[in-house]
Amino acid sequence: MPASRRALSCCALLALWLLPLLARAGQGLLYPVFDMAPWAYFDAQCEARGIAVETAQAIARRAGLPLRLPHERELEHGPPPEGAVLRLSAVPRRPGMAVVGSRPVFEIDLILVSAAPDRFTAPEALRGRRIGYDRDESRVRERLEALAAEVVPFPDYPAMVAALRAGTVEAVAGVREGLVYELRRGRDGASLLRSALPLGRLPVWLHLDAAAPEDWAERLESAVAGFVESGRYASLRDRYLSRAAQGGLPLRLDCPPLTPAGP
């Protein structure tokens, strides 16, 4: 085979190998938005907001990668939008996801809140007590079970805080930011939070679709390092919690999907 034809054949094979990679790169990153203020939610204009959303945006911007923000349900029902999924999670690994880098993006505090704080002066006091938690937070459940508490699952933070105020559970446990946001919406929030019991800290890691191009992980790892060193997380957290204390955050649950439904 002439050298020119061999060169053309090699170029054609290389193109076939690169096309899927280039196509995927053109699709960019996807950060699924779930309805949980102040972490992630859609506002009255259907714009994605929240501490985690702005963290993901800042990291993607530092990495020079495009980011789209579909609702979580778009990845669960029907054909999802195309792209490499990005998540922030305290769970070490998810199916099909790989941890980016060797350092967490930030750490979150777990706390316990009770209407009778004198009963809960130390973690050991949770033994045998009815404690509510968000059923999606497996690490909170594990912590409560390790302390021999009677765990009571709830669908979300509003439901478990309502149960606390109604007296159906003795206390509730969860991520500080989520409990601060939900409790500050009530008049008794400040007094309940004043005696919150610390239950430890959890690192939150960046997870990336394991099928994403290798250089994306490298770029994101560098971006995470820059984000951590900037100290931006603390200012994001404080801004959202301050807004919550001033009257809450406008959540909207009927925003259209990122990708239209098929025929």
Side-chain angles (χ1 to χ4, degrees):
M1 180 185 293
S4 58
R5 288 190 64 185
R6 280 200 303 271
L8 285 172
S9 296
C10 289
C11 288
L13 288 171
L14 182 62
L16 286 172
W17 180 78
L18 283 173
L19 275 175
L21 188 63
L22 293 173
R24 193 175 190 89
Q27 293 154 5
L29 299 167
L30 297 170
Y31 184 79
V33 179
F34 45 93
D35 300 315
M36 187 178 177
W39 293 106
Y41 63 95
F42 287 97
D43 65 14
Q45 288 73 45
C46 285
E47 294 289 334
R49 306 289 184 195
I51 301 169
V53 168
E54 290 200 38
T55 297
Q57 288 175 316
I59 290 172
R61 190 161 49 246
R62 285 176 176 271
L65 295 169
L67 177 72
R68 291 180 292 161
L69 300 163
H71 193 282
E72 175 78 34
R73 62 177 172 267
E74 292 188 62
L75 278 70
E76 297 175 347
H77 307 291
E82 294 183 344
V85 176
L86 191 73
R87 294 182 186 272
L88 288 162
S89 174
V91 179
R93 287 191 181 276
R94 290 171 177 260
M97 306 289 287
V99 175
V100 174
S102 57
R103 62 192 301 183
V105 182
F106 52 83
E107 290 188 330
I108 50 177
D109 294 302
L110 302 184
I111 61 172
L112 178 130
V113 176
S114 171
D118 54 310
R119 298 180 190 170
F120 300 97
T121 56
E124 295 74 21
L126 275 67
R127 177 179 292 274
R129 302 286 192 176
R130 283 175 57 82
I131 312 296
Y133 78 102
D134 185 322
R135 64 189 178 198
D136 291 328
E137 294 182 337
S138 59
R139 287 306 182 89
V140 176
R141 186 194 69 243
E142 291 169 6
R143 178 65 173 145
L144 294 175
E145 289 176 344
L147 293 168
E150 180 187 344
V151 295
V152 182
F154 289 94
D156 51 34
Y157 274 58
M160 72 176 184
V161 168
L164 173 67
R165 289 184 167 126
T168 56
V169 292
E170 297 177 77
V172 294
V175 177
R176 177 182 176 275
E177 286 82 353
L179 282 171
V180 168
Y181 168 75
E182 194 58 41
L183 287 164
R184 280 184 176 177
R185 300 171 69 188
R187 294 181 180 179
D188 58 348
S191 61
L192 287 170
L193 288 163
R194 197 171 297 124
S195 53
L197 176 69
L199 293 178
R201 309 194 83 190
L202 287 179
V204 173
W205 303 87
L206 189 71
H207 296 71
L208 177 65
D209 187 338
E214 281 186 25
D215 68 305
W216 286 19
E218 296 170 4
R219 291 160 68 176
L220 287 166
E221 182 175 2
S222 177
V224 166
F227 178 82
V228 171
E229 290 161 8
S230 73
R232 177 103 188 274
Y233 171 73
S235 62
L236 278 175
R237 176 198 60 205
D238 294 345
R239 173 159 56 85
Y240 274 95
L241 294 183
S242 174
R243 288 179 61 192
Q246 295 168 10
L249 301 168
L251 276 66
R252 183 171 171 181
L253 304 178
D254 62 344
C255 293
L258 179 69
T259 51

